[in-house]
Amino acid sequence: MRASDADRERIAESLREAVAEGRLDMNEFEQRLESAYKARTHGELEPLVQDLPAPGTAVAPVGSAAPVPLRGSAASWPARIGGTATSKGAFAFWGGFNRKGRWTVGRKFTAFAMWGGGEIDLREANFEDGEIVIRCFAIMGGVHVTAPPELNVDVRGVGIMGGFGEGSNEDGEPAPDAPRVRITGFALMGGVGVERKRTKAELRRLKEAEEIEQAERAVRERRRLEGPGESGGRKELG
């Protein structure tokens, strides 16, 4: 059966997913993608993904029938909202605290630091609700909040002989379906800082996505230079 452009694009999408998940290296991805663009029949397309799962399918670990759920920053924002809070506050006096990694932020979270410091990292966190209030109080101490660029963050705190506000931020626009986090409170002879920054894992995923895009451009350019050939002059995939 003859393959359509939609069929070739379906296979290309499966290959993109596979290289992003580490199932294919870039060289194999380019080779299979080029073969997909050249394919004229389903018989030529299907072997290119025969050893790969369908796009977006989680693979069960050995000995388990359940798929592995996406967690942390890899999960979509709606999947990160809801559930029971694992922490609703933090306290530091002549010491420190941290909340980071995979944890669930309470609907109202209160952080207090006096003659000490604390770290609140929201980049891999889940959220008890779509509306979150984080109250930070720093007295001769400091609290540092790190949020991903796509999170909706509103900073409204007050600094008294100290600072309360946002620092340098990485590029990124808040996602419409992300939780809304309001950070309020005060800093007295201390500081509360809010920084937007991606995790190393997220930066690695973005780099991989850029490499995939570059590989696709290289394949399309080779196809353009080769001309229609066996494809019979069909429209080139975008």
Side-chain angles (χ1 to χ4, degrees):
M1 184 181 293
R2 300 281 295 192
S4 67
D5 282 347
D7 294 326
R8 283 181 281 271
E9 182 56 33
R10 175 176 58 83
I11 297 300
E13 180 61 27
S14 294
L15 296 174
R16 294 184 196 104
E17 290 279 348
V19 72
E21 293 170 356
R23 303 182 194 280
L24 297 175
D25 60 31
M26 292 306 298
N27 287 334
E28 191 171 13
F29 169 69
E30 284 194 48
Q31 291 170 6
R32 294 196 189 194
L33 185 65
E34 189 157 11
S35 296
Y37 284 171
K38 291 179 179 178
R40 303 178 64 184
T41 67
H42 283 273
E44 294 173 302
L45 283 174
E46 296 304 331
L48 299 174
V49 293
Q50 197 167 28
D51 58 343
L52 303 173
T57 301
V59 177
V62 175
S64 172
V68 179
L70 296 175
R71 302 178 63 182
S73 62
S76 65
W77 284 113
R80 295 172 65 177
I81 300 174
T84 303
T86 58
S87 183
K88 295 185 177 182
F91 178 86
F93 180 74
W94 281 100
F97 69 80
N98 69 70
R99 299 290 186 274
K100 60 183 179 180
R102 292 171 179 170
W103 64 295
T104 302
V105 189
R107 186 177 291 104
K108 291 185 178 180
F109 183 93
T110 302
F112 179 87
M114 182 173 182
W115 295 330
E119 179 183 355
I120 302 171
D121 193 332
L122 304 174
R123 293 175 295 178
E124 295 283 337
N126 292 328
F127 302 85
E128 185 180 21
D129 193 75
E131 298 283 342
I132 298 291
V133 177
I134 298 178
R135 298 178 294 181
C136 298
F137 304 99
I139 301 175
M140 290 181 284
V143 176
H144 185 78
V145 181
T146 306
E150 294 81 13
L151 189 64
N152 293 289
V153 178
D154 180 19
V155 182
R156 299 186 182 184
V158 176
I160 304 173
M161 290 186 288
F164 199 120
E166 295 187 77
S168 60
N169 297 319
E170 290 185 355
D171 292 337
E173 292 293 330
D177 56 351
R180 297 185 179 277
V181 178
R182 181 160 56 94
I183 301 175
T184 186
F186 68 84
L188 175 62
M189 291 188 288
V192 174
V194 181
E195 179 184 24
R196 293 179 179 271
K197 185 178 179 181
R198 301 185 189 279
T199 63
K200 291 181 179 179
E202 182 67 18
L203 290 173
R204 185 166 58 250
R205 281 194 292 271
L206 291 173
K207 182 180 179 181
E208 290 170 352
E210 184 178 352
E211 290 174 349
I212 292 171
E213 185 178 349
Q214 290 174 351
E216 288 194 69
R217 283 201 299 266
V219 170
R220 287 196 295 267
E221 181 62 16
R222 284 200 297 270
R223 296 289 296 136
R224 186 185 68 81
L225 294 175
E226 289 173 0
E230 295 183 358
S231 67
R234 69 170 179 265
K235 180 182 178 182
E236 183 178 323
L237 291 177

